[in-house]
Amino acid sequence: MRIAPFRPQVAGDPTVSESEIVRRLLQRVCLGPRRDELDAARAAGFDATLARLLSAPGRDPGVDSTPPPAFPPPEPPARKNNPDARKDQRREGIAQSRRLGVWWLDRMAAVDEPFPERMAWFWHGHFATSAQKVRHPQLMFAQNETLRRLGRGDFRALAQAMVVDPAMLVWLDGGGNRVGKPNENLAREFMELFTLGVGNYTEDDVREAARALTGWRVDVRSGAARLDLDDHDAGPKSVLGTTADYDAPGLADLLVTRPASPRFLAGRVWRRFVSDAPPDPATLEALVAAYGPNHDIAAMVRTAVTSQAFRSASSVLVRQPVEWLVGALRALRLPASRVKPAALTGGLRDLGQTPFFPPDVGGWPAGTPWLSTAAALARVRMARALTAVADLSPVADVPAPGRVEATAALLGLPGFTARTAAALAPLAGRPPDLVAAALASPENTISA
Amino acid sequence: MNTLTRRRFLAYSTMATAAAAATTAGWMELADRTRTDPLPPGAPVLVLVTLYGGNDGLNTVVPAADPAYHSARPDLAYDEGEVLDLGEGLGLNPGLAALKQQWDRGTLAIVRGVSYPKPDRSHFRSMDIWQTADPVHPTSTGWIGRWLDASGNDPLTAISLEPVLPPLLAGETTTGAALPLRGLVLPGGALGTAFAAMGSGAPGESAPQATAARSIADLHRTVDTFGPAVDDDGGAGGRTGSGALAAQLDVVARCIEAGAPSRVYSVSLGGFDTHADERGTQQELLSEVDAAVSGFLTRMTSSDRGRQVVLMAYSEFGRRVAANANQGTDHGTAGPVLIAGSGVRGGFIGEQPSLTDLDDGDLKATTDFRDVYATLLTRVLGADPEPVLGKGRTELPLFTSA
């Protein structure tokens, strides 16, 4: 049996090969390669592959084959004096949002042009909004479409959309914010978590920014947000040392044009695509320069993945659970909706990451916290549920001695360590177990 | 899940590394030592309950007799007749009926007006301050982590039942261990054998990959020891939701009763980040705390080890005195800290902050949380608080005997 060479990290060999960089690119900036995609991308080379990834998507059969679910229009909320009806509505809303999450996994697994979905997923972790409180899948879906539509372009446009996004207004109580008694929640988190980062504003800035965001209302039935001028504080506000009659778009504009904002965003992009270790000062400047006056998100991502650090052997990221799952679904060409619903829902919960249900406004963690003992068990359980229903012919059709290697190729892995290869070898006669164990392997848990 | 503090935690790569390394060492020994070196029945145990999201202290320990309370938040306020009377014009939230019984038995202390100088109103920064016990500088170690460093570098001494390890357990050299809550049933057969075999290290692999491999080895050791003690009932997967806190405390109770060599346990409940229609939501959450904590405390009275347990419940800050327009409150400052256990001297500690003498709309703190920690370090963990908290702390009269 020939095992693909495993490339240990050693000093003096700080970068990985062109072919491995292409693989890394498909894992990080896409959603993981599907069968044959990796070979094609390697033949095309890194630059051409990156250019194709970041170019405007054309018509995508994967999108056409995964239409979003249709939800009935929201009912008017049950009265407060009818707690049972309220509870039922709440439960139904959450169940619908879970179904929406399965749809999104299907979409992420199906698309031929993955960058828009990758960035929508990135922004969902950034502008983390939970259906646990929003309760209306229509609003969650509309936000999801906004992230998909605006998530690769001008961050100013994205920020301006998000500050008055109906799901966001419900999530951070912006829909009840009115002149005289402002609700600070949205203003604070917009500065702390979405645009500037903690330490780049004061408590007075929070109070003044909250005034700028007064007057917005969400009509749940139509799914629209509108400004009620009677509830809006039209007077001058002093935010970050400037005074003007700020309103929501004006505030978003002010925040994204502060120098702290591109640096804050660069840190987030870097951590999700390149490394837990922060960029060196020159690279940070390059990221900020690429983002530039047009707030160009794709340009920032392009600069991150063409940096020297992205080519370094030390650029290793822990795959978030959804990235791990979607990578498996794409490799196996398996729609999420074909997995047993209880295994899918329970598996995501055990792994700690359910789409549309971030734990709080801070979003999900990155890095080693995902490598818990509990997650190790959840991965192998979910892997078994996937291989129970997947078409494993790319492995099963290979003679038994070549199946470990075929599994690495199927999953888009550079190969296995001798440890894992030895552990997998006895499973060659049982492809579902072989592929399940490989999915749960340390090699597949990280993105090297 | 989630920890409001994860983001800060993750900012410290040294902490993440320490956590991974320490957790690995922890499970191997915890499995063995629960059998060979159990905690002596007379050794005090500290259980820390973190309420993420900034619990509104004024509607937890309610100044229902104060007219200023009613005028500041008319739609949110509880009437005197609705709260559970504690005396001194204060009453417990009606969701805390079982804890009121603890109060009546004299086993619940309420420390009033707890905060720190120059309170920070960011969830993440303020929880970071509470967990690191350093209100001035961002710090990469938690207060329990520093106690671990100073008290023998044994990661088994502090256990987290939270989905993600909280910063309070991270020390410079030692970090507490994390126990998974549910589903400790491993695959069997050839797949199970292969999975177990992937738990050893491989030469040259990256640090995260090595950590992933160690997590598989740790899992198997954990199942060997605690598998029978952990239900596969699916009740504790989420950070919020009915039963999440009770399920964590249930595992804590089993560990204590089994004699696990741990002196500190960390559990949590999220969802307190309420800014609108706050009254009903908070009361539901407090009811969950009430059922989980009082059930745990009651269970603990029936064993020698259990009677040594001291429980502390806290949140990262309280709320503004005045309500906002959505019948909610925004991020504020001081709040009450609850301390309970058989050996606790029940009653109020510290002054109730004034509702008329405010600091830009916020309560002025009357007790520094580090004095609470110092008292717990001294009286529960038998440790010198100075290496953990620095000089100048004051012990509070929280316990009945010397």
Side-chain angles (χ1 to χ4, degrees):
Chain A
M1 173 174 56
R2 192 176 66 83
I3 301 298
F6 179 73
R7 210 179 307 276
Q9 288 181 267
V10 288
D13 178 20
T15 61
V16 297
S17 69
E18 173 83 2
S19 147
E20 285 304 286
I21 284 300
V22 172
R23 190 187 53 74
R24 183 177 284 174
L25 187 68
L26 295 188
Q27 216 172 45
R28 306 243 182 110
V29 183
C30 296
L31 296 158
R34 296 190 294 193
R35 223 175 283 170
D36 308 327
E37 276 184 350
L38 184 54
D39 289 343
R42 279 174 167 153
F46 181 87
D47 292 344
T49 301
L50 180 60
R52 183 178 59 75
L53 279 175
L54 301 190
S55 64
R59 192 185 172 97
D60 186 334
V63 171
D64 294 343
S65 70
T66 51
F71 294 110
E75 293 172 16
R79 295 192 179 281
K80 282 193 173 168
N81 59 11
N82 190 349
D84 288 345
R86 285 169 74 86
K87 209 173 270 184
D88 285 349
Q89 275 188 344
R90 182 180 166 75
R91 195 179 301 126
E92 179 55 24
I94 285 176
Q96 288 181 355
S97 291
R98 289 195 192 286
R99 286 200 287 281
L100 188 65
V102 175
W103 163 77
W104 194 10
L105 293 169
D106 273 345
R107 166 67 61 85
M108 287 196 269
V111 288
D112 296 310
E113 308 214 41
F115 191 56
E117 294 304 321
R118 177 68 186 88
M119 291 310 292
W121 171 247
F122 171 86
W123 291 119
H124 179 44
H126 183 87
F127 290 105
T129 303
S130 175
Q132 193 74 39
K133 177 170 168 185
V134 177
R135 301 200 321 246
H136 299 291
Q138 301 86 350
L139 302 190
M140 294 303 293
F141 175 68
Q143 185 189 79
N144 186 246
E145 284 281 77
T146 302
L147 298 177
R148 185 172 291 109
R149 184 166 48 88
L150 300 177
R152 293 161 289 137
D154 178 347
F155 182 70
R156 169 154 52 184
L158 179 60
Q160 290 189 334
M162 294 312 288
V163 81
V164 294
D165 173 77
M168 180 66 78
L169 289 171
V170 173
W171 171 233
L172 294 181
D173 310 302
N177 186 6
R178 70 166 185 262
V179 60
K181 295 171 91 180
N183 187 314
E184 297 170 5
N185 203 14
L186 178 60
R188 177 185 306 279
E189 305 305 10
F190 222 81
M191 291 197 267
E192 178 178 341
L193 300 174
F194 302 158
T195 58
L196 296 176
V198 76
N200 292 309
Y201 56 87
T202 66
E203 280 302 309
D204 284 340
D205 291 327
V206 171
R207 291 174 201 233
E208 292 287 284
R211 292 177 54 214
L213 299 181
T214 47
W216 283 85
R217 298 289 170 263
V218 178
D219 180 345
V220 168
R221 296 212 65 174
S222 69
R226 64 180 172 78
L227 180 62
D228 184 339
L229 286 172
D230 289 344
D231 285 343
H232 178 65
D233 184 338
K237 299 105 187 170
S238 297
V239 188
L240 299 164
T242 63
T243 301
D245 297 344
Y246 288 115
D247 57 7
L251 178 71
D253 190 64
L254 172 71
L255 298 182
V256 302
T257 52
R258 299 290 294 191
S261 182
R263 284 176 167 69
F264 175 69
L265 281 183
R268 203 80 206 271
V269 164
W270 191 260
R271 164 156 276 180
R272 294 299 180 183
F273 292 102
V274 185
S275 176
D276 270 341
D280 63 55
T283 305
L284 179 61
E285 288 314 312
L287 293 167
V288 170
Y291 175 82
N294 296 327
H295 316 101
D296 188 336
I297 295 158
M300 187 182 266
V301 172
R302 181 188 294 115
T303 300
V305 300
T306 52
S307 69
Q308 196 52 41
F310 190 78
R311 295 179 168 262
S312 164
S314 64
S315 168
V316 179
L317 292 178
V318 177
R319 299 172 88 177
Q320 291 188 42
V322 163
E323 292 161 19
W324 174 87
L325 172 63
V326 168
L329 295 171
R330 289 177 67 81
L332 300 173
R333 290 231 178 226
L334 177 68
S337 49
R338 206 178 296 158
V339 183
K340 239 170 71 180
L344 193 68
T345 306
L348 286 169
R349 191 184 53 210
D350 288 352
L351 286 167
Q353 190 167 52
T354 302
F356 299 115
F357 291 87
D360 57 56
V361 65
W364 290 283
T368 48
W370 292 118
L371 300 176
S372 69
T373 49
L377 181 58
R379 265 185 223 101
V380 73
R381 284 179 159 189
M382 193 166 221
R384 194 150 64 161
L386 300 184
T387 61
V389 290
D391 168 18
L392 301 176
S393 57
V395 172
D397 290 351
V398 172
R403 285 181 183 167
V404 171
E405 196 183 341
T407 301
L410 177 66
L411 301 184
L413 297 176
F416 296 109
T417 58
R419 165 207 56 214
T420 298
L424 296 178
L427 300 177
R430 314 156 68 97
D433 284 350
L434 171 61
V435 178
L439 285 169
S441 68
E443 286 84 342
N444 192 51
T445 300
I446 59 150
S447 172
Chain B
M1 304 178 265
N2 326 176
T3 338
L4 286 166
T5 49
R6 283 178 315 200
R7 176 182 297 270
R8 294 295 305 173
F9 171 50
L10 296 168
Y12 303 117
S13 58
T14 50
M15 286 176 77
T17 309
T23 306
T24 299
W27 285 121
M28 288 181 234
E29 290 175 52
L30 189 61
D32 292 339
R33 284 189 29 208
T34 299
R35 287 187 293 263
T36 62
D37 179 24
L39 198 66
V45 169
L46 179 62
V47 177
L48 301 172
V49 181
T50 303
L51 307 178
Y52 288 105
N55 177 42
D56 179 6
L58 284 178
N59 272 10
T60 304
V61 177
V62 186
D66 190 336
Y69 163 74
H70 292 275
S71 61
R73 38 169 77 183
D75 296 325
L76 270 183
Y78 287 95
D79 293 332
E80 275 189 86
E82 293 176 283
V83 298
L84 310 168
D85 185 26
L86 301 171
E88 301 187 26
L90 298 170
L92 274 180
N93 184 291
L96 297 173
L99 281 175
K100 172 62 165 50
Q101 292 175 14
Q102 298 281 342
W103 174 270
D104 292 339
R105 275 198 288 278
T107 53
L108 172 66
I110 297 173
V111 192
R112 298 184 286 197
V114 189
S115 186
Y116 51 87
K118 294 187 185 167
D120 197 296
R121 290 159 190 83
S122 157
H123 291 295
F124 305 95
R125 177 70 189 123
S126 191
M127 188 53 88
D128 208 33
I129 287 168
W130 275 83
Q131 297 214 357
T132 62
D134 188 338
V136 183
H137 311 286
T139 303
S140 63
T141 56
W143 70 283
I144 293 296
R146 292 196 296 278
W147 168 72
L148 288 171
D149 286 343
S151 66
N153 298 306
D154 180 354
L156 309 186
T157 318
I159 300 279
S160 167
L161 282 302
E162 301 191 61
V164 177
L165 197 74
L168 73 93
L169 297 186
E172 197 70 56
T173 56
T174 309
T175 293
L179 188 66
L181 259 184
R182 42 180 256 125
L184 287 182
V185 181
L186 289 165
L191 173 59
T193 306
F195 185 52
M198 295 191 298
S200 60
E205 69 186 336
S206 65
Q209 187 169 310
T211 304
R214 279 199 305 270
S215 72
I216 294 173
D218 295 343
L219 169 67
H220 285 80
R221 293 186 177 93
T222 304
V223 171
D224 287 347
T225 303
F226 290 101
V230 178
D231 282 335
D232 199 12
D233 61 3
R239 162 146 300 233
T240 57
S242 187
L245 181 62
Q248 293 174 57
L249 285 170
D250 186 47
V251 177
V252 171
R254 294 178 203 213
C255 286
I256 291 170
E257 288 162 356
S262 309
R263 298 287 302 277
V264 180
Y265 294 89
S266 171
V267 298
S268 68
L269 182 69
F272 287 89
D273 190 13
T274 52
H275 289 255
D277 299 328
E278 189 168 289
R279 195 174 130 144
T281 311
Q282 190 203 14
Q283 188 168 329
E284 275 176 38
L285 286 164
L286 290 178
S287 297
E288 183 175 347
V289 171
D290 188 61
V293 167
S294 65
F296 172 75
L297 291 171
T298 302
R299 177 170 171 175
M300 287 295 97
T301 58
S302 63
S303 69
D304 287 343
R305 287 197 180 93
R307 283 187 288 275
Q308 305 303 317
V309 165
V310 174
L311 179 144
M312 176 183 94
Y314 72 103
S315 193
E316 68 263 38
F317 41 62
R319 297 306 184 103
R320 289 270 161 72
V321 177
N324 61 33
N326 308 57
Q327 300 179 23
T329 51
D330 289 310
H331 298 184
T333 54
V337 168
L338 308 185
I339 312 273
S342 295
V344 168
R345 178 157 81 189
F348 290 121
I349 309 280
E351 292 299 312
Q352 179 69 9
S354 166
L355 296 183
T356 48
D357 177 21
L358 299 175
D359 181 5
D360 201 9
D362 276 317
L363 298 176
K364 292 178 177 173
T366 56
T367 305
D368 190 303
F369 73 90
R370 290 167 293 179
D371 289 343
V372 179
Y373 291 0
T375 309
L376 297 173
L377 283 163
T378 306
R379 303 295 296 269
V380 180
L381 300 178
D384 177 2
E386 196 174 309
V388 176
L389 302 168
K391 287 183 195 297
R393 305 302 358 150
T394 306
E395 190 174 323
L396 305 174
L398 281 167
F399 296 97
T400 48
S401 58

